[in-house]
Amino acid sequence: HQQRNMAAMEGLNVDTLTVTLNTLRTLRSSATLFFKIVSEGAKEDNLTEGQNNFSERAMKVMADVKTHLRELETQVAGLSPPSNPVNLGNTGLLSLDPTPDKLPLYYQLLDCYTWMEKVHCYSTIMHSLFSGNNLKRSSISSPYSAKRRRPVQLNHNVPQQQVDGIIQSINQMFPDMTLNLSRPFGNNAVVQVTLGRVLRAVVTFKGILIEWVVVRAYNEPLLDEDGKVDLYTSSQYKVFQKVTDNANAAMLNFCSSGFSDLAVRSFFTWLHSFVSLFTDVCKRCNNHLHNHMPPTWREFRTLDPFHEECKA
């Protein structure tokens, strides 16, 4: 509450200072006008009439100056000095330096210290708020808390039989999608996917985690010139380049260290939804094509098709 009151007082003080500066500006304008009238003097041909007009104008402007001066004194009296004035030490002597190019250093340094004080104040408030909402599990002291925790599973170092079993079960889930598993680089699996007559893909695993996905057209090869699996060459078609980007985004979305089997099945279920890539209509615009592209995005939960521009 004290910090809130201080912030409210500071806001009120800033508003009062703004009004005071506006009044000072008006006072300076009135004083400038008075000196201008005095310097011009009487300009009428008839000296008596000119003197009277000159006196009336000067007295009217002087009355405005007195009014604005009273307002300024009242507003200045309402200003409160800062509670914690900034102590610049010897650097305050910079304001006394007569060199024109060094005079702004004092004001720049003063602004820097003022902002640092604000950052310190706000960080203190945020620390008090976050410390009251500590959600770390390590703060729960219970003899049963350790038993409730799931054992740490190293998903990048799992038996090959576990990965083979997951890929085989997925292969049986979708008759129109074929998965061929190989290990050309050691223990890590590489899965070549053929989805109907629509697309082909290469899915690279690190243990049981999906590490990289490349999607190509059905007529594009998955092997390079040496007969090895091509892991990184992108498709020559923009449609499948966009599907590749979305597939890698889906791979990151479904990634879960605690439910790695479910993450792999969810990803291949999402990938299977592209079997109707060129026949689906967008759920938002109800069109097959938008900017000469079919719906290349599939919503993660419902698998609804969207164009890239329509998914937002």
Side-chain angles (χ1 to χ4, degrees):
H1 293 290
Q2 184 178 1
Q3 292 175 346
R4 291 179 181 175
N5 293 334
M6 291 176 59
M9 290 297 295
E10 290 180 358
L12 182 61
N13 199 19
V14 169
D15 295 338
T16 307
L17 181 60
T18 303
V19 175
T20 304
L21 292 176
N22 292 333
T23 305
L24 178 61
R25 190 180 297 109
T26 305
L27 175 62
R28 293 182 61 181
S29 300
S30 301
T32 303
L33 180 60
F34 174 77
F35 288 120
K36 182 179 179 181
I37 293 175
V38 172
S39 63
E40 292 176 352
K43 294 184 179 181
E44 299 291 339
D45 295 335
N46 189 344
L47 184 60
T48 304
E49 184 178 355
Q51 282 294 110
N52 293 334
N53 292 335
F54 169 73
S55 300
E56 292 178 359
R57 292 172 59 195
M59 292 179 63
K60 181 179 179 181
V61 175
M62 180 56 68
D64 293 339
V65 170
K66 292 180 179 180
T67 302
H68 296 318
L69 182 59
R70 267 190 243 104
E71 294 178 358
L72 181 62
E73 291 176 349
T74 303
Q75 293 168 359
V76 169
L79 291 175
S80 59
S83 57
N84 295 321
V86 179
N87 184 15
L88 299 181
N90 294 331
T91 55
L93 300 177
L94 289 172
S95 61
L96 306 178
D97 196 331
T99 308
D101 58 344
K102 293 183 179 179
L103 187 60
L105 293 178
Y106 171 75
Y107 300 101
Q108 295 174 2
L109 189 62
L110 185 63
D111 291 339
C112 180
Y113 273 90
T114 302
W115 279 106
M116 288 298 296
E117 288 294 328
K118 289 183 179 180
V119 171
H120 179 72
C121 178
Y122 293 153
S123 62
T124 303
I125 296 175
M126 294 303 297
H127 178 268
S128 62
L129 293 176
F130 285 131
S131 61
N133 296 275
N134 194 353
L135 300 179
K136 292 182 178 179
R137 294 182 61 186
S138 58
S139 62
I140 304 176
S141 58
S142 173
Y144 304 101
S145 59
K147 297 181 180 180
R148 294 196 187 114
R149 296 178 184 175
R150 296 173 59 89
V152 178
Q153 181 181 3
L154 299 177
N155 294 316
H156 62 276
N157 187 15
V158 297
Q160 298 181 3
Q161 294 78 6
Q162 183 178 353
V163 180
D164 295 347
I166 295 175
I167 299 301
Q168 184 178 0
S169 63
I170 296 174
N171 211 355
Q172 296 174 357
M173 290 171 56
F174 307 107
D176 52 355
M177 185 169 67
T178 304
L179 279 65
N180 295 324
L181 186 146
S182 61
R183 289 184 171 85
F185 307 108
N187 295 329
N188 294 323
V190 175
V191 178
Q192 303 176 43
V193 183
T194 302
L195 181 58
R197 300 180 62 86
V198 178
L199 59 83
R200 292 180 177 179
V202 177
V203 182
T204 307
F205 282 80
K206 182 72 173 179
I208 202 172
L209 295 178
I210 300 176
E211 191 175 39
W212 184 250
V213 183
V214 176
V215 181
R216 303 187 182 100
Y218 181 78
N219 60 346
E220 292 182 303
L222 297 179
L223 305 179
D224 56 14
E225 297 177 355
D226 299 331
K228 298 180 181 180
V229 181
D230 190 352
L231 303 179
Y232 301 107
T233 303
S234 60
S235 174
Q236 61 179 333
Y237 304 104
K238 291 185 178 180
V239 173
F240 295 102
Q241 292 176 9
K242 183 58 66 176
V243 175
T244 298
D245 295 339
N246 295 336
N248 283 281
M251 173 262 295
L252 296 175
N253 176 77
F254 292 121
C255 181
S256 175
S257 59
F259 304 93
S260 53
D261 298 1
L262 179 61
V264 174
R265 290 189 176 90
S266 299
F267 171 78
F268 279 100
T269 302
W270 179 88
L271 184 63
H272 178 265
S273 63
F274 285 92
V275 69
S276 54
L277 173 62
F278 297 105
T279 58
D280 284 337
V281 295
C282 177
K283 286 294 184 180
R284 174 157 299 187
C285 65
N286 293 324
N287 293 325
H288 288 280
L289 298 177
H290 183 77
N291 292 333
H292 309 289
M293 295 279 283
T296 56
W297 174 262
R298 297 296 184 273
E299 209 278 328
F300 294 139
R301 293 184 179 179
T302 61
L303 303 180
D304 290 335
F306 291 93
H307 294 113
E308 293 294 326
E309 296 80 6
C310 298
K311 66 180 182 181

